[in-house]
């Protein structure tokens, strides 16, 4: 992006003080931050030093890294360290975490395992404090640490030890914080601690603060940044450099402020559909072709990336199901609440591991224990009861008993016996699908439900890393003896160590998950019950709802399509003529 260096942007480049840069979507905050990074690199860095650019998501890191290729010469790009908060904190914890009383070697407690161990409870559950105590015990006694503990533990290290603060800050003389308005109390405490020794550049847009339902995140963060850092504050306003040839940003701003100009916006259109499911699904599929034709007409090229955004996970599931339906399924990637899917994948990875007649009872017990975790993570009363039943059967099986005549137990027994004769080809994808077919073939609702969860794994775009690990095992052993370890290693790499996220193709996700991402075209899906634009418990003038919708609308570079249920009307959308 070619950026005009006005007086305000020149001030960002020139100042040696802490800086707070505010501005709307596409105002050039990222670009001017990268130019600031380049200036600091050109001024000279000591051996081992770099400019640190922190963001929240892997997608945002990928976007920043792509922009850096345009702004920073290749020879200097290695001196720009772009990380998520999680990956940055993980580096610190692996080095210094033992100082907090944990074992020297830390391991990640992945979100899907945490959900299983905690019975799927949420923060507002009365039992949450009990889980917090258990989580602390896991950290101190076993060295297993959950994502949610990364920030508080690093904040404790940095605030208690001036020496660690100096060591970390010395590596990064300039720290850039993306989406600073969304930092939680502990994340901000870490940034503040390092700001004692490092220059800090915070990028923020209070009107994009859509995670204020999380503890400690709210509009007061901007004021706290000003109070703690006394920064030079520079406002870039609402200038649009992301989609300068359209009025997407203007429409987003009018949605935010409740202004209706009574006329269409360039780069924004609307397609209405009847609420009937078949009409809705047809419109979802049609919308892909519509935006593809619009982008090609505008640019001469088909879109590289399209996003379909919904308010809630259930809306995203409806979109995904619609794309998979029809005469020709439309390939896409689904970003979803994945805990039960990843636990289900561990169950299948276990089935891939070699099975022997002498170990049949142990194998059946392990299968039941893994199934128990899948249902435990769901967190519903019925699922938790089933989880406990599976766990009890596992204990009894280990004790040499046949605990039940239930069909699922008989089917598992038969499946484990069948797997004692190798049926795998060495092609992980084919072998994975073979096992999915076996689960479907049992006809048992719980095992069929596991298979149903697994259909999302490829939509998550996780299959490539998993297959690579399984292939390496097969090439060494001629079987899959460590399939679960390969699976866990692939997921850990994806959740923490992966530097980026491929945003080409068609993506389905919630509006909240789209934050920090950019696409050629965006389709914003409104359905009254599964994906409303007006959020529950958000009274007129719907301030929270408008902020979230604006974020979704402004993810597009070229075109935004509002895919709208024709009736009843939406009070946010109805005044606009698109």
């Amino acid at each position: 992006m070619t950026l005009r260096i006005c007086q305000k942007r020149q001030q960002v480049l020139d100042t040696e003080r802490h800086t707070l840069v505010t501005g709307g979507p596409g105002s050039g905050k990222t670009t001017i931050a990268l130019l600031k990074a380049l200036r600091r690199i050109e001024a000279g860095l000591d051996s081992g030093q770099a400019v640190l650019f922190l963001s929240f998501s892997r997608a945002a890191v990928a976007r920043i890294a792509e922009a850096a290729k345009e702004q920073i010469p290749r020879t200097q790009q290695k001196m720009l360290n772009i990380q998520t908060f999680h990956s940055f904190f993980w580096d610190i914890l692996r080095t210094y975490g033992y100082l907090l009383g944990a074992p020297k070697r830390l391991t990640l407690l992945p979100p899907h395992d945490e959900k299983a161990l905690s019975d799927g409870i949420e923060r507002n559950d009365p039992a949450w404090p009990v889980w917090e105590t258990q989580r602390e015990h896991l950290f101190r006694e076993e060295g297993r640490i959950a994502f949610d503990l990364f920030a508080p533990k690093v904040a404790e290290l940095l605030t208690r030890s001036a020496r660690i603060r100096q060591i970390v800050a010395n590596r990064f003389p300039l720290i850039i914080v993306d989406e600073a308005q969304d930092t939680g109390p502990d994340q901000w405490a870490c940034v503040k601690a390092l700001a004692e020794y490092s220059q800090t550049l915070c990028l923020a847009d209070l009107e994009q603060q859509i995670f204020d339902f999380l503890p400690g995140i709210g509009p007061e963060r901007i004021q706290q940044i000003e109070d703690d850092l006394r920064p030079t504050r520079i406002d870039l306003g609402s200038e649009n450099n992301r989609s300068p040839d359209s009025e997407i940003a203007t429409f987003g701003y009018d949605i935010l402020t409740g202004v209706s100009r009574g006329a269409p916006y360039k780069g924004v259109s609307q397609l209405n559909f009847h609420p009937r499911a078949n009409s809705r699904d047809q419109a979802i599929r049609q919308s892909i072709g519509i935006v593809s034709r619009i982008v090609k007409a505008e640019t001469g090229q088909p879109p590289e990336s399209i996003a379909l955004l919904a308010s809630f996970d259930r809306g995203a599931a409806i979109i995904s199901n619609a794309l998979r339906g029809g005469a020709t399924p439309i390939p896409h990637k689904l970003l979803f609440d994945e805990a039960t899917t990843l636990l289900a994948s561990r169950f299948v990875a276990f089935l891939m591991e070699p099975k022997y007649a002498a170990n049949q009872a142990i194998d059946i017990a392990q299968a039941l224990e893994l199934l128990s975790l899948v249902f435990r993570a769901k967190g519903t009363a019925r699922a938790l009861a089933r989880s406990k039943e599976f766990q009890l059967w596992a204990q009894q099986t280990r004790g040499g008993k046949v605990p039940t005549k239930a069909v699922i137990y008989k089917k598992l027994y038969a499946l484990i016996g069948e797997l004692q004769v190798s049926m795998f080809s060495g092609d992980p994808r084919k072998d994975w699908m073979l096992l999915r077919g076996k689960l479907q073939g049992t006809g048992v609702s719980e095992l069929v439900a596991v298979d149903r969860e697994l259909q999302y794994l490829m939509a998550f775009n996780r299959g490539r890393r998993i297959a690579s690990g399984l292939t390496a095992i097969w090439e060494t052993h001629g079987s899959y003896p460590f399939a679960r370890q390969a699976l866990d290693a692939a997921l850990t790499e994806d959740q923490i160590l992966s530097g980026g996220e491929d945003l080409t193709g068609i993506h389905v996700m919630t509006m909240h998950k789209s934050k920090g991402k950019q696409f050629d075209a965006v389709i914003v899906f409104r359905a009254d019950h599964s994906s409303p634009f007006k959020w529950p418990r958000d009274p007129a003038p719907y301030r929270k709802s408008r902020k979230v919708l604006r974020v979704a609308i402004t993810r597009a570079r070229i075109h935004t399509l509002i895919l709208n249920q024709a009736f009843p009307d939406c009070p946010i959308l109805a005044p606009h003529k698109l």
Side-chain angles (χ1 to χ4, degrees), residues 108-413:
L108 173 67
L109 178 63
H112 50 283
D113 283 334
E114 181 180 4
K115 199 160 188 176
L117 291 173
S118 66
D119 294 344
I121 64 171
E122 303 292 343
R123 284 184 178 275
N124 56 359
D125 193 292
W128 183 258
V130 176
W131 169 241
E132 285 187 310
T133 301
Q134 290 178 298
R135 200 165 57 170
E136 184 67 25
H137 175 82
L138 287 170
F139 172 67
R140 293 187 179 278
E141 300 301 322
E142 300 180 25
R144 302 178 72 192
I145 183 164
F147 275 122
D148 283 354
L149 288 183
F150 278 27
K153 294 302 180 187
V154 173
E156 187 177 354
L157 284 168
L158 294 178
T159 54
R160 288 177 58 183
S161 172
R163 179 62 179 151
I164 295 175
R165 283 200 303 277
Q166 289 175 321
I167 291 171
V168 176
N170 185 59
R171 290 174 55 204
F172 305 112
L174 173 62
I175 298 175
I176 301 169
V177 182
D178 192 28
E179 306 284 8
Q181 77 280 351
D182 284 330
T183 51
D186 294 309
Q187 290 166 327
W188 178 248
C190 295
V191 174
K192 178 185 174 183
L194 295 175
E196 182 179 350
Y197 303 103
S198 300
Q199 184 184 8
T200 304
L201 169 57
C202 294
L203 311 178
D205 179 3
L206 195 54
E207 301 302 345
Q208 289 200 75
Q209 189 174 66
I210 62 173
F211 292 99
D212 48 3
F213 58 88
L214 295 175
I217 297 178
E220 66 277 3
R221 179 67 65 236
I222 298 296
Q223 186 59 54
Q224 187 171 8
I225 292 172
E226 296 209 74
D227 291 344
D228 290 343
L229 302 186
R230 302 293 178 188
T232 299
R233 181 164 182 174
I234 299 167
D235 184 17
L236 299 181
S238 57
E239 180 181 335
N240 177 25
N241 295 282
R242 178 178 301 163
S243 47
D245 297 325
S246 78
E247 295 180 302
I248 295 171
T250 304
F251 177 56
Y253 188 75
D254 286 351
I255 285 287
L256 177 69
T257 56
V259 172
S260 173
R261 73 182 193 182
Y265 298 80
K266 184 181 179 184
V268 182
S269 61
Q270 181 172 317
L271 174 64
N272 293 334
F273 61 85
H274 192 281
R276 284 194 303 264
N278 60 340
S279 299
R280 175 201 67 204
D281 293 351
Q282 184 180 11
I284 290 170
R285 292 191 292 270
Q286 288 176 338
S287 68
I288 300 292
I290 290 171
V291 297
S292 295
R293 288 191 293 273
I294 290 173
V295 171
K296 188 169 184 178
E298 286 279 330
T299 67
Q301 300 291 332
E304 291 186 0
S305 58
I306 298 173
L308 294 97
L309 308 181
S311 304
F312 304 133
D313 278 342
R314 62 178 179 270
I318 285 172
I319 295 171
S320 183
N321 289 334
L323 295 179
R324 286 200 307 272
T328 304
I330 299 174
H332 62 284
K333 302 166 190 174
L334 175 66
L335 199 58
F336 207 71
D337 182 5
E338 55 193 56
T340 52
T341 294
L342 299 184
L343 289 166
S345 70
R346 188 178 288 160
F347 174 72
V348 174
F350 163 74
L351 295 180
M352 297 180 83
E353 295 172 359
K355 301 290 180 286
Y356 304 101
N359 295 334
Q360 185 152 352
I362 294 173
D363 287 338
I364 292 171
Q366 283 192 329
L368 287 166
E369 287 162 352
L370 290 165
L371 273 181
S372 174
L373 291 176
V374 174
F375 283 84
R376 189 176 176 186
K378 292 177 183 289
T380 64
R382 184 176 179 181
L384 289 173
R386 203 68 172 130
S387 172
K388 290 177 181 177
E389 191 171 27
F390 291 152
Q391 193 66 39
L392 177 61
W393 290 353
Q395 291 172 0
Q396 292 172 336
T397 300
R398 287 184 185 278
K401 298 179 181 178
V402 177
T404 177
K405 295 181 179 180
V407 175
I408 185 173
Y409 192 89
K410 294 178 180 178
K411 292 290 185 179
L412 271 180
Y413 190 95

Side-chain angles (χ1 to χ4, degrees), residues 30 34 53 55 58-72 77 80-83 499-501:
T30 300
L34 289 170
F53 203 132
S55 195
R58 287 174 285 115
V61 164
R63 172 179 56 80
I64 295 164
E66 194 63 32
K69 292 177 183 177
E70 298 178 7
Q71 303 296 336
I72 298 178
Q77 287 173 18
L80 176 63
N81 188 331
I82 308 170
Q83 294 196 65
E501 186 174 352

Side-chain angles (χ1 to χ4, degrees), residues 267-564:
V268 182
S269 61
Q270 181 172 317
L271 174 64
N272 293 334
F273 61 85
H274 192 281
R276 284 194 303 264
N278 60 340
S279 299
R280 175 201 67 204
D281 293 351
Q282 184 180 11
I284 290 170
R285 292 191 292 270
Q286 288 176 338
S287 68
I288 300 292
I290 290 171
V291 297
S292 295
R293 288 191 293 273
I294 290 173
V295 171
K296 188 169 184 178
E298 286 279 330
T299 67
Q301 300 291 332
E304 291 186 0
S305 58
I306 298 173
L308 294 97
L309 308 181
S311 304
F312 304 133
D313 278 342
R314 62 178 179 270
I318 285 172
I319 295 171
S320 183
N321 289 334
L323 295 179
R324 286 200 307 272
T328 304
I330 299 174
H332 62 284
K333 302 166 190 174
L334 175 66
L335 199 58
F336 207 71
D337 182 5
E338 55 193 56
T340 52
T341 294
L342 299 184
L343 289 166
S345 70
R346 188 178 288 160
F347 174 72
V348 174
F350 163 74
L351 295 180
M352 297 180 83
E353 295 172 359
K355 301 290 180 286
Y356 304 101
N359 295 334
Q360 185 152 352
I362 294 173
D363 287 338
I364 292 171
Q366 283 192 329
L368 287 166
E369 287 162 352
L370 290 165
L371 273 181
S372 174
L373 291 176
V374 174
F375 283 84
R376 189 176 176 186
K378 292 177 183 289
T380 64
R382 184 176 179 181
L384 289 173
R386 203 68 172 130
S387 172
K388 290 177 181 177
E389 191 171 27
F390 291 152
Q391 193 66 39
L392 177 61
W393 290 353
Q395 291 172 0
Q396 292 172 336
T397 300
R398 287 184 185 278
K401 298 179 181 178
V402 177
T404 177
K405 295 181 179 180
V407 175
I408 185 173
Y409 192 89
K410 294 178 180 178
K411 292 290 185 179
L412 271 180
Y413 190 95
L415 178 58
I416 295 296
E418 189 178 354
L419 291 172
Q420 290 166 11
V421 178
S422 177
M423 60 179 66
F424 298 130
S425 66
D427 182 333
R429 294 179 186 274
K430 290 181 180 178
D431 295 338
W432 190 272
M433 294 306 295
L434 173 69
L435 285 171
R436 285 190 57 190
K438 295 287 184 186
L439 293 176
Q440 291 175 6
T442 65
V444 176
S445 60
E446 293 89 347
L447 297 179
V448 172
V450 168
D451 171 67
R452 203 161 44 238
E453 290 289 345
L454 292 169
Q455 70 187 350
Y456 292 118
L457 196 66
M458 297 308 172
F460 286 151
N461 203 30
R462 300 295 177 82
R464 187 168 55 250
R465 288 193 185 93
I466 296 168
S468 176
L470 292 173
T471 297
I473 291 174
W474 182 275
E475 289 175 349
T476 302
H477 300 277
S479 61
Y480 300 111
F482 307 106
R484 280 175 288 173
Q485 289 94 320
L487 174 78
D488 289 345
L491 296 179
T492 298
E493 179 184 356
D494 191 72
Q495 289 167 326
I496 283 197
L497 303 179
S498 176
E501 186 174 352
D502 182 11
L503 291 181
T504 58
I506 299 171
H507 298 258
V508 180
M509 66 191 75
T510 64
M511 298 180 192
H512 279 87
K513 285 184 167 66
S514 75
K515 193 158 187 286
K517 301 175 175 66
Q518 295 179 21
F519 305 90
D520 289 342
V522 167
I523 299 162
V524 190
F525 174 62
R526 176 192 165 256
D528 205 38
H529 297 294
S530 61
S531 184
F533 284 178
K534 183 175 75 69
W535 284 65
R537 296 180 294 280
D538 184 24
Y542 319 116
R543 181 68 175 163
K544 174 184 175 181
S545 303
R546 292 179 183 278
K547 287 169 69 173
V548 175
L549 183 55
R550 182 215 191 190
V551 166
I553 288 166
T554 57
R555 297 308 90 200
R557 283 185 284 259
I558 300 167
H559 195 83
T560 294
L561 170 67
I562 305 297
L563 186 57
N564 177 55

